[in-house]
Amino acid sequence: QTAAEWQKRRAAALEGFQAIAGPLPGKEMRCELDAKVISETDCGSYVRRFIEYSSQPGGRVPAWLCIPKKALAGEKTPAVLCLHPTENNIGHDVVVGLGGKPHRQYASELAERGFVTLAPSYPLLAKYQPDLKALNMPSGTMKAIWDNIRGLDYLETLPFVDASVGFAAIGHSLGGHNSIYTASFEPRIKAVVTSCGFDSLLDYYGGNIKGYVQERYMLKMENYLGHPQDVPWDYYELIAALAPRHLFINAPLRDANFRHDSVDRIVAAAEPVYRLHDAGGHITVRHPDSDHDFPDAERFEAYALIEKVLRGK
């Protein structure tokens, strides 16, 4: 009935998620970032740096960092965490426009719009192959969440980033649910954009959650094959857990991975929680007539939301 009461339910929901993905790492994993610039490319209005940073002892994360030249000249600017879709050949290259399908280059497009963007590689895709067991990471999902959180720590160290306004997170497909998971644990993220990123576990391929049973996701989901209703987490709780922050959802009508009508049911369940926080209207849902894609109109509208939240425009 109140926002305070919801906090108890929210904590329980995140406990349920961690029962499957593993516990969020603590201070013991927050080592020195030891960030290094490997290469730099002039991209016109911005420069693109290939960097590495340490997210935990023994764990180096490759990432793209795009910096508007105005920021390098002294104009502090907000930053956006850009999380890439499933891409086992070029990985995070796709979000900076270095190949792959169109409509995925949100890290470079946001840099052109004046934002600093950070695009970490997702574990166990393309060239980023961390040994999760050696790193004491319980799942690929939690490894990605922690890499992203430490990526925000890195952004806070950069003199040209305005961290005082918080950050945004944007992602398509794998990046779409990665943005939800990360923001659920990371209050510094003030705006979340998820494209083709989720539906209820009950609706995902008719309740066949086998797709989640991979080392790079959550192997413990195997215990719930055939009875997804018993999984101790679902997107109903995770979407509500983002309240009162701004949320943009792209859920195409012809997405073969995630059902748009399931998304609508989840949003309908989350909206009362948003209203408890006086944040009615903070969820935007779009249903383009497309397949598993992030079309221009919806992508550009998402950028406008990020602009509004981080710059007040």
Side-chain angles (χ1 to χ4, degrees):
Q1 299 300 311
T2 68
E5 287 179 359
W6 164 249
Q7 289 306 311
K8 297 177 183 177
R9 179 69 190 90
R10 185 184 190 280
L14 294 187
E15 285 177 10
F17 181 81
Q18 290 172 91
I20 303 301
L24 183 72
K27 291 186 295 183
E28 73 283 355
M29 289 288 191
R30 250 190 177 96
C31 63
E32 290 294 321
L33 289 162
D34 188 27
K36 288 183 170 57
V37 177
I38 310 301
S39 65
E40 180 172 304
T41 304
D42 189 324
C43 297
S45 63
Y46 67 95
V47 297
R48 183 182 67 236
R49 293 175 179 172
F50 184 65
I51 67 160
E52 287 184 350
Y53 61 89
S54 292
S55 65
Q56 62 181 107
R60 301 285 289 171
V61 183
W64 289 112
L65 177 70
C66 297
I67 314 163
K69 289 182 177 177
K70 288 182 178 180
L72 290 174
E75 183 181 309
K76 278 192 145 188
T77 188
V80 183
L81 186 64
C82 297
L83 306 176
H84 67 87
T86 302
E87 172 49 74
N88 208 19
N89 293 316
I90 62 173
H92 58 159
D93 290 5
V94 68
V95 297
V96 293
L98 294 177
K101 292 183 179 179
H103 306 158
R104 311 288 191 266
Q105 65 278 18
Y106 31 89
S108 54
E109 289 179 336
L110 283 163
E112 289 168 350
R113 285 160 172 77
F115 292 95
V116 172
T117 63
L118 181 71
S121 188
Y122 190 92
L124 303 181
L125 281 177
K127 296 178 182 178
Y128 183 37
Q129 298 291 322
D131 185 333
L132 299 185
K133 289 183 179 178
L135 292 170
N136 198 29
M137 275 292 169
S139 68
T141 294
M142 189 52 71
K143 172 62 173 164
I145 292 170
W146 186 246
D147 285 355
N148 297 338
I149 288 173
R150 296 292 281 146
L152 297 185
D153 292 345
Y154 169 64
L155 288 171
E156 287 188 329
T157 71
L158 301 176
F160 44 78
V161 169
D162 182 3
S164 68
V165 297
F167 303 96
I170 184 172
H172 173 75
S173 195
L174 165 66
H177 42 259
N178 196 6
S179 66
I180 294 168
Y181 300 157
T182 303
S184 294
F185 291 97
E186 182 45 81
R188 289 176 292 181
I189 296 174
K190 305 301 182 185
V192 183
V193 177
T194 174
S195 170
C196 300
F198 71 98
D199 61 2
S200 171
L201 300 178
L202 305 177
D203 299 318
Y204 179 73
Y205 289 100
N208 182 0
I209 58 174
K210 188 176 180 180
Y212 283 91
V213 185
Q214 300 180 53
E215 187 181 11
R216 66 174 181 246
Y217 301 133
M218 297 172 253
L219 286 174
K220 283 188 176 181
M221 292 289 274
E222 184 175 24
N223 298 331
Y224 300 92
L225 292 176
H227 48 105
Q229 69 277 7
D230 294 333
V231 178
W233 71 274
D234 202 342
Y235 291 96
Y236 284 95
E237 290 84 8
L238 295 188
I239 294 299
L242 300 177
R245 292 168 287 174
H246 285 268
L247 172 63
F248 184 95
I249 301 169
N250 174 52
L253 298 177
R254 294 183 281 111
D255 187 347
N257 294 57
F258 302 105
R259 291 174 51 182
H260 68 88
D261 55 330
S262 181
V263 169
D264 287 340
R265 287 190 288 274
I266 290 168
V267 169
E271 282 178 336
V273 176
Y274 268 74
R275 289 195 292 271
L276 287 178
H277 293 80
D278 296 320
H282 280 204
I283 304 178
T284 301
V285 183
R286 294 291 180 259
H287 294 305
D289 187 8
S290 72
D291 57 7
H292 189 75
D293 198 10
F294 200 175
D296 287 349
E298 287 69 33
R299 209 168 64 257
F300 298 161
E301 186 179 1
Y303 300 163
L305 176 66
I306 292 172
E307 183 93 24
K308 174 184 175 183
V309 174
L310 296 187
R311 288 203 175 113
K313 294 181 180 180

